[in-house]
Amino acid sequence: MLRRRALAACTATVAVGALALAGLTGIASAAPAPHAPAPAAQTAQLSPGLLKAMQRDLGLTATEARGRIGNESRAAAVTAGLRYSLGDRFAGARVSGDAADLTVATTDASDAARIAKAGARAEVVDHSLAELDAAKAALDRVALRTAPKDIPAWYVDVRTNRVVVQAGRASAADAFLAKAGVSRELVTVTQAAEQPRTFTDLRGGDAYYMNGSGRCSIGFPVKRGTQGGFVSAGHCGTPGVSTSGYNQQAQGSFQGSTFPGRDYSWVATNTNWTPRPLVNGYGNGDVTVTGSTEAIEGSSVCRSGSTTGWHCGTVQQRNSSVTYQEGTVSGVTRTNVCAEPGDSGGSFISGSQAQGVTSGGTGNCSQGGTTYFQPLNPALQAYGLTLVTSGTPTDPPTDPTDPPTNPGGTWAAGTTYAAGAVVTYGSASYRCLQGHLAQPGWTPPNVPALWQAL
């Protein structure tokens, strides 16, 4: 962990091993249904700063960036429905390209037609996502007892249908797998010389100081009942450590912190600090947070940090594990977004959906690197927190980047709908085509893969 008290910056770079393709048994021949246009209502009010960073880092125009975010939102909705209907045959999903072309994997070839009808490309593979997750969980249990040496990271890779273990030495990988009782049939071992470290002590979204000395970054404002505060990285502080804000005024103290194992914390603030649903845009306009729907593999994602500002890339693998000097952290998401020391705790966001807080990684923003973020939702659940979004009642009345108001009806985010259920939204009625858990933004008019107008 880099708890930096001087201003010297680390600029070390690393070589990252390539991922070998293995374990695929075929791709279904059923062609996906044509993509519906991206819903304009979800993308029209996106932050100019976020769009600017996507243009720079992903080589997009502003129109292409808006379209990509809308397409990825629709792909996430389709994936939720298919994951529910495929059950234990579901083997993961990913998007590719600006059109967010969706591929959904299954262990049963008979599912291909259903996947294609939903608008995705079907891929038939050997192992279900549950099987791969179970293998990775076994590795995590070993690592939590003793952090493995020469094993910087491991993760479930839905593209290759394998658990990928990065290792400095093949013998270290063999010992790790043997201790966990994981079959090599499920695993691809790649050569890697990475030495991940945490990004600590400078502002991400906004800076805060621990006990008046080291600095970290606010991830996302939250509430616990009427108590305001924020989530950040767990390695930034332990319960009882006091904090001051970017202006060096008294702010609050850590109420909970987990690191290693996971990398999240929450800080309760005094009444001088009001939580807002915003991420610092660094002169390009703040980004409004509207929810915390998780982006799937391949989706665009952007990070805000005071050392390097806005940088964007894509989600590489969810459910990754990484070994820092202090121990192993599991359940983080691996990205190709660059970061540098001082970016720790800062916000990861996809469109307007909060994703997580910066944990650590390798490389830098001059030559590129790998960054891991701790997903936000597990942190909210661990501490009983509620994310502050543009819909929070205590927010100012009309933020210019707020989405359109709900027109009324029986549809509601957070509700589980079964296939065949009928809801109203505005003045129209819709029938559910695939069972799913409704998320903010997945309104019936916007996700035709899940809802049919009556």
Side-chain angles (χ1 to χ4, degrees), residues 95-156:
V95 294
S96 59
D98 299 338
D101 293 320
L102 176 63
T103 298
V104 175
T106 177
T107 57
D108 190 337
S110 66
D111 291 325
R114 176 186 300 181
I115 293 171
K117 186 176 180 180
R121 180 172 290 103
E123 189 172 66
V124 183
V125 297
D126 289 330
H127 311 294
S128 70
L129 185 60
E131 184 181 8
L132 297 177
D133 282 346
K136 182 184 170 293
L139 295 172
D140 290 348
R141 287 192 292 271
V142 169
L144 287 175
R145 293 194 295 270
T146 305
K149 294 183 178 180
D150 289 326
I151 308 290
W154 57 101
Y155 47 83
V156 173

Side-chain angles (χ1 to χ4, degrees), residues 99 110 113 125 201 208 243 281 370 374 381 411 421 433:
S110 66
V125 297
D201 294 341
Y208 67 95
T243 68
T370 297
Q374 165 67 57
Q381 295 165 5
W411 180 90
L433 299 177

Side-chain angles (χ1 to χ4, degrees), residues 36-380:
Q42 290 180 273
T43 61
Q45 305 299 325
L46 291 171
S47 157
L50 182 142
L51 293 173
K52 182 177 180 180
M54 290 183 69
Q55 292 174 67
R56 180 195 64 209
D57 293 342
L58 298 177
L60 306 174
T61 65
T63 299
E64 289 169 340
R66 292 180 188 277
R68 177 164 179 163
I69 291 171
N71 290 333
E72 289 169 351
S73 177
R74 180 180 47 76
V78 172
T79 298
L82 287 173
R83 182 169 192 159
Y84 179 88
S85 61
L86 297 180
D88 59 11
R89 304 186 303 280
F90 179 75
R94 63 186 186 274
V95 294
S96 59
D98 299 338
D101 293 320
L102 176 63
T103 298
V104 175
T106 177
T107 57
D108 190 337
S110 66
D111 291 325
R114 176 186 300 181
I115 293 171
K117 186 176 180 180
R121 180 172 290 103
E123 189 172 66
V124 183
V125 297
D126 289 330
H127 311 294
S128 70
L129 185 60
E131 184 181 8
L132 297 177
D133 282 346
K136 182 184 170 293
L139 295 172
D140 290 348
R141 287 192 292 271
V142 169
L144 287 175
R145 293 194 295 270
T146 305
K149 294 183 178 180
D150 289 326
I151 308 290
W154 57 101
Y155 47 83
V156 173
D157 186 3
V158 298
R159 296 176 185 276
T160 64
N161 194 230
R162 310 278 280 184
V163 175
V164 175
V165 175
Q166 295 184 341
R169 297 176 295 109
S171 59
D174 291 338
F176 188 34
L177 296 176
K179 188 174 292 187
V182 172
S183 170
R184 282 298 294 260
E185 179 187 353
L186 301 173
V187 176
T188 294
V189 177
T190 65
Q191 182 76 25
E194 293 185 355
Q195 294 183 346
R197 81 282 191 197
T198 49
F199 298 126
T200 309
D201 294 341
L202 290 175
R203 185 170 70 169
D206 281 329
Y208 67 95
Y209 298 79
M210 295 83 72
N211 281 341
S213 54
R215 286 190 285 176
C216 265
S217 310
I218 293 174
F220 292 95
V222 296
K223 285 194 170 183
R224 185 172 181 178
T226 59
Q227 174 65 60
F230 59 86
V231 292
S232 188
H235 65 263
C236 290
T238 56
V241 170
S242 62
T243 68
S244 55
Y246 66 90
N247 55 4
Q248 299 285 2
Q249 298 301 305
Q251 182 188 66
S253 63
F254 283 84
Q255 303 298 300
S257 178
T258 301
F259 180 80
R262 296 292 188 267
D263 194 5
Y264 47 61
S265 63
W266 96 275
V267 173
T269 57
N270 61 44
T271 55
N272 292 329
W273 298 84
T274 302
R276 300 295 188 195
L278 302 172
V279 172
N280 191 325
Y282 291 95
N284 295 302
D286 291 341
V287 179
T288 299
V289 178
T290 64
S292 59
T293 300
E294 292 185 348
I296 62 175
E297 277 87 346
S299 296
S300 57
V301 68
C302 296
R303 178 193 55 73
S304 175
S306 68
T307 301
T308 55
W310 275 101
H311 283 277
C312 300
T314 57
V315 173
Q316 301 292 286
Q317 288 86 23
R318 304 197 71 85
N319 191 17
S320 300
S321 294
V322 58
T323 299
Y324 300 125
Q325 183 179 356
E326 299 81 14
T328 294
V329 175
S330 299
V332 290
T333 297
R334 188 172 185 263
T335 76
N336 61 1
V337 183
C338 71
E340 295 183 7
D343 286 328
S344 261
S347 315
F348 265 86
I349 191 164
S350 182
S352 64
Q353 299 297 308
Q355 298 298 308
V357 298
T358 303
S359 176
T362 60
N364 58 48
C365 287
S366 296
Q367 299 180 346
T370 297
T371 300
Y372 299 88
F373 69 78
Q374 165 67 57
L376 176 64
N377 289 333
L380 299 179

